[in-house]
Amino acid sequence: MRMTAPRRTLLGSAAMLAVSALALTGCSGGGAGDDTAAGGDGPEIVVWTDAEREQAIGDAAKAFEEETGATVRLVQKNFEDLRNDFIAQVPTGEGPDITVGAHDWLGALVAAGVVDTIDLGDTASNFEPVALEAMTYDGQLYALPYSLETVALVQNTALVGAEAPATWDDMIQRGLASGAERPFVINTAGETGDGYTMYGLQTSFGAPVFVQDASGSYTSEVGMGGAPGEAFAQWLSTNGQAGYLSTTIDYDINNELFASGKAPYTVQGPWAISSFDGIDVAVNPIPSAGGQTAAPFVGVQGFYLSAQSKNALLATEFLVNYLGTEDAQRALYEADPRIPAYTSLGQEVASDPIIAGFLASAQNGVPMPSIPEMGSVWDLWNAAEAQIISGAEPVSTWNQMITDLQSTLAG
């Protein structure tokens, strides 16, 4: 069922539906968890949230409750439990009407038939295109986005200044000129490989992990084979032999090398900035190594509508026209600071140059695929990258990885 929620149309309808909705439902299932807001006498929608976002959602619920006569009951759960509990409980009628969640859950939620499409109408233009793209599956939008996260180039301004390098080669030359022990450092998860962190460099060769269709949805067609993938593999080999990439670097070693001034550049996410206390950093988009825009993976958080919501009209009204407002999005940002998916709010908080840098990188980025096939990629992909960096013949190793991946996907 597809729900559309132009505010002025739905608001009146929601109020009129309140009494009948109560008769039909009594209340929606909350499932296991900490029931943190008791329901009133009107119809009720249930929202699953984690602790960080509970207060902001509750604030948005107050206006909704006053205007519709409905009650929003918040159920606090551990974020790590939300996806599996949602998939397990929605079919039984014990799930919520809405849950907070990550965009890369989407393929599993759609496959399980537990999530409904939504239509943001004109309000869609308020959100970053990459955020909407992330919440889209087979051309259908399934969630209201609210935050973005991605990796970017982090640089030590005392060693190389704040100016963004034009290209990978430019960055390496600036890094060498800084006199630091290494011109650049990036996490490869040691010998495991780290396709996630390396992805912006890979896409600059025109080698996406999966092909996207015209709507932005990912297909199951592997996109990183052929000449672009081979060129990236050769680049991995060249820079591994030069020592600019190394399988001796894991997450902690990477951050220690950068924080101690032994490397002036790294690729990291906002979660690592606290590891760099005591040094001045600048954040810029990842430089291109292959000539095209470096497009890192973007992760998106948002709110999903249950496919089994008994109060779908009210739930959609709350989702789109209350959680989707600038005030609600700001409250969510203040409660759990992540890069806003709401464009004007993102521009506002980008007065912080570090946030501005990550936002600029995200605007170059692409959603991490949420299709089930992505689960088959990581081990083969990471291993091939690590092997090539360590000295394996690049083109044959990469092509064998593509062959093995396609065979795995074919079943």
Side-chain angles (χ1 to χ4, degrees):
M1 179 173 62
R2 184 178 182 83
M3 301 302 300
T4 305
R7 177 170 184 139
R8 296 188 183 282
T9 302
L10 267 186
L11 192 59
S13 301
M16 289 188 290
L17 282 170
V19 175
S20 59
L22 173 62
L24 284 170
T25 65
C27 65
S28 299
D34 176 19
D35 182 354
T36 56
D41 295 332
E44 178 182 83
I45 61 172
V46 176
V47 179
W48 281 2
T49 177
D50 55 4
E52 287 75 16
R53 289 165 273 213
E54 182 179 1
Q55 184 61 53
I57 297 171
D59 290 345
K62 290 177 183 175
F64 174 78
E65 291 175 333
E66 290 173 1
E67 294 183 31
T68 67
T71 297
V72 178
R73 182 160 60 95
L74 304 182
V75 178
Q76 186 190 122
K77 300 175 74 73
N78 292 325
F79 187 79
E80 294 75 17
D81 297 331
L82 283 170
R83 176 172 63 175
N84 290 340
D85 286 358
F86 192 75
I87 290 173
Q89 294 187 28
V90 164
T92 70
E94 294 299 317
D97 299 282
I98 294 170
T99 186
V100 69
H103 93 271
D104 57 346
W105 302 357
L106 183 52
L109 299 182
V110 172
V114 297
V115 64
D116 206 350
T117 59
I118 64 170
D119 187 341
L120 297 182
D122 293 341
T123 62
S125 62
N126 294 330
F127 294 88
E128 289 290 327
V130 70
L132 298 173
E133 192 177 328
M135 292 302 190
T136 298
Y137 194 92
D138 284 341
Q140 300 291 319
L141 182 66
Y142 278 91
L144 174 79
Y146 90 87
S147 72
L148 312 172
E149 66 180 19
T150 193
V151 295
L153 183 70
V154 183
Q155 53 196 73
N156 183 328
T157 59
L159 295 174
V160 290
E163 182 183 356
T167 64
W168 167 268
D169 290 339
D170 181 31
M171 179 189 71
I172 293 298
Q173 290 307 310
R174 291 174 185 232
L176 291 169
S178 75
E181 182 176 301
R182 297 164 180 262
F184 169 78
V185 66
I186 189 169
N187 175 38
T188 62
E191 296 180 355
T192 300
D194 183 359
Y196 174 86
T197 303
M198 299 287 290
Y199 193 61
L201 298 165
Q202 177 176 323
T203 53
S204 76
F205 286 84
V209 61
F210 286 112
V211 174
Q212 292 175 272
D213 65 20
S215 73
S217 297
Y218 281 99
T219 70
S220 59
E221 180 183 354
V222 177
M224 54 185 171
E230 292 178 358
F232 174 64
Q234 185 60 60
W235 177 87
L236 287 173
S237 176
T238 299
N239 286 279
Q241 293 175 25
Y244 305 150
L245 307 176
S246 172
T247 57
T248 64
I249 307 298
D250 63 16
Y251 182 86
D252 291 335
I253 293 172
N254 180 87
N255 290 350
E256 173 59 26
L257 288 170
F258 182 82
S260 63
K262 294 179 179 176
Y265 294 103
T266 188
V267 172
Q268 262 294 8
W271 49 83
I273 293 298
S274 62
S275 301
F276 308 144
D277 276 352
I279 62 173
D280 290 330
V281 300
V283 178
N284 288 303
I286 297 168
S288 175
Q292 300 186 31
T293 299
F297 281 136
V298 177
V300 179
Q301 298 262 326
F303 295 92
Y304 290 103
L305 175 66
S306 167
Q308 298 299 320
S309 171
K310 296 181 178 64
N311 282 319
L313 187 61
L314 278 169
T316 303
E317 169 70 7
F318 178 61
L319 186 72
V320 176
N321 292 323
Y322 290 82
L323 288 178
T325 65
E326 184 169 347
D327 285 347
Q329 297 277 316
R330 179 177 287 103
L332 286 162
Y333 170 77
E334 291 172 349
D336 181 29
R338 301 168 186 253
I339 302 169
Y342 200 91
T343 299
S344 60
L345 181 59
Q347 292 169 343
E348 178 183 317
V349 303
S351 57
D352 180 328
I354 291 178
I355 294 176
F358 284 112
L359 177 60
S361 185
Q363 289 172 331
N364 282 351
V366 292
M368 190 163 71
S370 60
I371 56 177
E373 289 85 352
M374 191 64 195
S376 299
V377 170
W378 295 107
D379 288 349
L380 294 168
W381 185 31
N382 289 341
E385 287 192 359
Q387 290 163 12
I388 293 168
I389 291 170
S390 294
E393 200 290 318
V395 172
S396 62
T397 302
W398 190 262
N399 285 338
Q400 185 61 53
M401 180 271 289
I402 297 294
T403 298
D404 292 345
L405 176 57
Q406 290 172 328
S407 176
T408 299
L409 296 177

